[in-house]
Amino acid sequence: AVSVAVAVGFAFIVGYYGLPFVMSLYLQGPRGLSPLVTGAAFLPMMLVGAALTPYSPRLAGRLGPRRLIAGGLLLMTAGLAVIAVLPPAAPVWTLAGLMVLTGLAGPLVMPPVTAVLLDSIPGHQAGVASGVFNTSRQVGGALAVAVFGALLANRAMFLPGLRVSLLLAGSVTLAAAAATLLLKPSTPR
C-alpha cells in the first residue's frame, strides 16, 4: 500500500502540474491569449476540484478508496489524452471543459491515497511515510516541468511537444491507475 501510494502521488502530480504548465504556455504562446484569459481558462478546473474536496471522504466511504483513486486517475488520463489529440484551433472553452477532468481527479485521488498511506503504517512512522509521499510528489512535479519544458523548448516543434507531453503524462497516470489494483479492496459502507 505504501509503494502504491507513493507511485500514485508521483503520477498524479506529473499530470496535475504538467497540464497547467504546458497549457499555460500553449494558451499564451501559439493561441495568443493574455495571462488573465489563460487564468480564466483554468478556473473551472480549480473550482470543480475545490467544490468536490469536502465530499471526498464521504465518497471514499461509499465507494472505497481504491475505486475512487483509480477513477480519478482514469478521469485525468482521459482528459490529458483528449486534449492531446484535439486540433490546435479547438475552442478555449473546450480545453477548459476538458481540464475539469484533471480538477475532478484532485479530490478523488489525493485525500483517499493519503488515507490509504497513513492507514497502512504504524502511527510512529507517519512522519516518515508522509515525507516519502510528499517527496515523490515533488519529484513528479519537478520531472514533469523539466521533461515537458524540454519537449516544448523548440518553437518549431511546440505543438508536437505539447501532444507528447500530455500523452506522456496520461501514460504515467494510466500506469498509476493500474497500480491501484494492487491495493486491497475495501468494503464500502
Side-chain angles (χ1 to χ4, degrees), residues 8-9 11-16 19 45 48-49 52 56 59-60 63-81 98-113 169-181 183:
V8 166
F12 172 80
I13 294 298
V14 167
Y16 203 75
L19 175 76
M45 172 182 150
V48 165
L52 187 59
S56 183
L59 286 170
L63 301 174
R66 184 171 86 163
R67 285 185 187 158
L68 208 58
I69 295 164
L73 290 168
L74 290 173
L75 282 173
M76 180 182 274
T77 300
L80 293 165
L98 289 167
M99 288 189 292
V100 165
L101 296 174
T102 297
L104 283 170
L108 297 178
V109 174
M110 290 316 293
V113 80
S171 298
V172 170
T173 56
L174 183 60
T180 62
L181 296 174
L183 294 173

Side-chain angles (χ1 to χ4, degrees), residues 56-164:
S56 183
R58 220 177 292 157
L59 286 170
R62 285 190 181 156
L63 301 174
R66 184 171 86 163
R67 285 185 187 158
L68 208 58
I69 295 164
L73 290 168
L74 290 173
L75 282 173
M76 180 182 274
T77 300
L80 293 165
V82 172
I83 292 170
V85 299
L86 283 177
V92 174
W93 62 266
T94 300
L95 296 171
L98 289 167
M99 288 189 292
V100 165
L101 296 174
T102 297
L104 283 170
L108 297 178
V109 174
M110 290 316 293
V113 80
T114 303
V116 165
L117 171 73
L118 295 176
D119 288 346
S120 65
I121 56 154
H124 70 278
Q125 293 180 329
V128 173
S130 294
V132 170
F133 180 66
N134 286 319
T135 299
S136 76
R137 292 173 24 154
Q138 295 302 316
V139 169
L143 281 175
V145 170
V147 170
F148 300 165
L151 290 168
L152 301 174
N154 183 344
R155 249 178 146 49
M157 296 300 291
F158 188 91
L159 287 177
L162 173 77
R163 292 182 197 291
V164 169

